[in-house]
Amino acid sequence: MQLRRVVVTGLGALTPIGNTLAAYWEGLVSGRSGAAPITRFDASKFKTRFACEVKGFDPEAFMERKEARKTDPYAQFALVCADEAITDSGLLSDTLDRDRVGVIWGSGIGGLKTFQDECIGFGKGDGTPRFNPFFIPKMIADSAAGLISMKHTLRGPSYVTASACASSNNALIDAFNAIRLGLCPAVVTGGSEAAIYEAGVGGFNALHAMSTRNEDPATASRPYDKDRDGFVLGEGGAAIVLEDLEHALARGAKIYAEVIGGGMSSDAYHITAPHPEGLGAELCMKFALKDAGLAPTDIDYINTHGTSTPIGDPQEVKAIQRLFGEHAYALNISATKSMTGHLLGGAGAVEGVAAIMAVHTDTVPPTINHFTDDPEIDARLNFTFNTAQQRTVNAAMSNTFGFGGHNTAVIFRKYR
């Protein structure tokens, strides 16, 4: 069958470095760190006492107090950035066939705050089960997609993908496939996460996965740097409106970029550690290139998973060097988690928006906080350290990998 072409017509973002698309992109290009001491709770007894929190967010500025009380922060983030992307796209109209427009969202954890608060409340009681009637609807990860679909009366397929930190890239790939197969004329996709609470910080601390650079949070996320010591937890989300090209052209929509390929693989190695040689990472990038019909030399920029962990960063670099060969030295590479922190299930969406904007503006956002080269990582590669770079970006790849060995890559190209 003839596959449909899929384009990006709307973007939205709510991140630790900007609460709108414009503010987020400005924060990326200027190299701003979103890391600071945790304000959400008293973290003084935790190994890590800082994170990349969303700043100045008041859910009641976007929804009624009653609605806010019925939704977990991860779902509030989803609603807000989806609203921005839908408005940006101009998709909604009286002639839109809402029976076929879908919502495919990604979240690795879902309502962690809700789950934590309800369990603490029960534990402090006398054993009598007194739970909020909205406990389950607020907690479950699929609520975000349902709430977006209900708010905008979108009756197409609606669900959430959960593959740890690869969740929203998986959602994006599912949305891409739904449109190019002709199942939907448009899909609202993206991802969100809200895990900066005691359970989230404590759980990742127990895994020894997060940075403990408490004396200097702003420089703690330092992908590819010799002295990196773990990731910085982030929160927020991003939304992307994908649309059938003919549908977009018929209504005169603006087009940011075209989605041309997606790849998925499994490490089949370890529940939390990546494959030491990056075999799964290489496979998903290889599959994405094949799906897009591109050669490695066609890619100009890779937004890497780049979490700032000692074992994670080198394996992705190894995979890139094997797959791209000599062209690896002509690429721009950057890890925007150095600014936003790691948004877990929302990472693919937030970083996908960064890759789309790089294609749209011919600007590569930087990897900030680079101080010392790591002898285990080839310094000849262009990691776009510390300062954004201008270059023609015809095609960009965005990688996200998750606990469980889930690997994803998506490719965006200039619309022609």
Side-chain angles (χ1 to χ4, degrees), residues 6-9 242 254-259 355-357 359-360 412-415:
V6 182
V7 293
V8 177
T9 58
L242 298 185
K254 70 176 179 297
I255 295 173
Y256 285 97
E258 183 172 2
V259 187
I356 290 164
M357 289 299 290
V359 169
H360 185 61
F412 307 96
R413 183 174 65 187
K414 283 191 188 301
Y415 165 64

Side-chain angles (χ1 to χ4, degrees), residues 36-53 109 112-113 116 194-212 214 231-235 342 344:
I38 291 170
T39 64
R40 194 73 40 74
F41 63 91
D42 179 5
S44 60
K45 294 183 179 180
F46 286 74
K47 295 176 185 175
T48 297
R49 299 187 288 276
F50 61 93
C52 288
E53 295 176 324
I109 298 175
L112 182 63
K113 180 182 188 299
Q116 172 187 283
I196 305 177
Y197 297 97
E198 292 90 335
V201 174
F204 283 115
N205 268 164
L207 283 172
H208 302 285
M210 292 199 302
S211 171
T212 56
N214 295 298
F231 74 83
V232 177
L233 188 58
E235 66 177 1
H342 192 351
L344 309 178

Side-chain angles (χ1 to χ4, degrees), residues 17-296:
I17 60 171
N19 292 9
T20 63
L21 171 66
Y24 168 51
W25 182 241
E26 187 277 328
L28 286 179
V29 173
S30 64
R32 184 162 61 244
S33 172
I38 291 170
T39 64
R40 194 73 40 74
F41 63 91
D42 179 5
S44 60
K45 294 183 179 180
F46 286 74
K47 295 176 185 175
T48 297
R49 299 187 288 276
F50 61 93
C52 288
E53 295 176 324
V54 168
K55 298 159 185 70
F57 176 72
D58 177 8
E60 292 180 27
F62 301 93
M63 60 191 75
E64 297 293 330
R65 176 176 295 184
K66 185 177 180 181
E67 182 184 4
R69 292 179 63 185
K70 294 178 181 179
T71 53
D72 187 87
Y74 99 97
Q76 294 169 0
F77 295 159
L79 283 163
V80 171
C81 59
D83 281 0
E84 183 183 18
I86 291 168
T87 300
D88 183 42
S89 72
L91 177 67
L92 301 185
S93 70
D94 293 338
T95 60
L96 178 67
D97 183 1
R98 299 185 187 220
D99 292 351
R100 297 181 60 225
V101 176
V103 181
I104 304 178
W105 205 252
S107 186
I109 298 175
L112 182 63
K113 180 182 188 299
T114 296
F115 186 82
Q116 172 187 283
D117 290 351
E118 291 295 320
C119 290
I120 289 173
F122 176 72
K124 288 181 176 179
D126 61 3
T128 303
R130 297 184 181 90
F131 289 92
N132 189 311
F134 294 102
F135 173 25
I136 301 301
K138 286 175 66 175
M139 176 196 72
I140 53 180
D142 67 289
S143 289
L147 290 166
I148 294 167
S149 68
M150 285 184 275
K151 180 167 185 179
H152 300 285
T153 322
L154 304 176
R155 292 181 287 265
S158 171
Y159 60 91
V160 162
T161 58
S163 48
C165 304
S167 296
S168 49
N169 243 17
N170 274 125
L172 203 161
I173 292 170
D174 277 10
F176 169 54
N177 285 330
I179 296 170
R180 66 174 173 171
L181 290 171
L183 303 177
C184 300
V187 175
V188 180
T189 188
S192 57
E193 206 80 270
I196 305 177
Y197 297 97
E198 292 90 335
V201 174
F204 283 115
N205 268 164
L207 283 172
H208 302 285
M210 292 199 302
S211 171
T212 56
R213 201 178 298 276
N214 295 298
E215 72 284 358
D216 191 10
T219 70
S221 182
R222 46 180 75 184
Y224 311 116
D225 189 89
K226 178 179 179 293
D227 298 317
R228 65 191 181 278
D229 70 330
F231 74 83
V232 177
L233 188 58
E235 66 177 1
I240 302 168
V241 175
L242 298 185
E243 198 166 345
D244 181 296
L245 174 60
E246 291 185 13
H247 189 270
L249 292 177
R251 66 181 189 84
K254 70 176 179 297
I255 295 173
Y256 285 97
E258 183 172 2
V259 187
I260 59 170
M264 300 176 283
S265 73
S266 297
D267 280 347
Y269 173 73
H270 191 274
I271 194 63
T272 57
H275 191 285
E277 297 301 315
L279 296 185
E282 181 182 5
L283 276 177
C284 77
M285 291 188 287
K286 179 180 177 180
F287 294 155
L289 287 169
K290 182 178 180 181
D291 189 37
L294 297 184

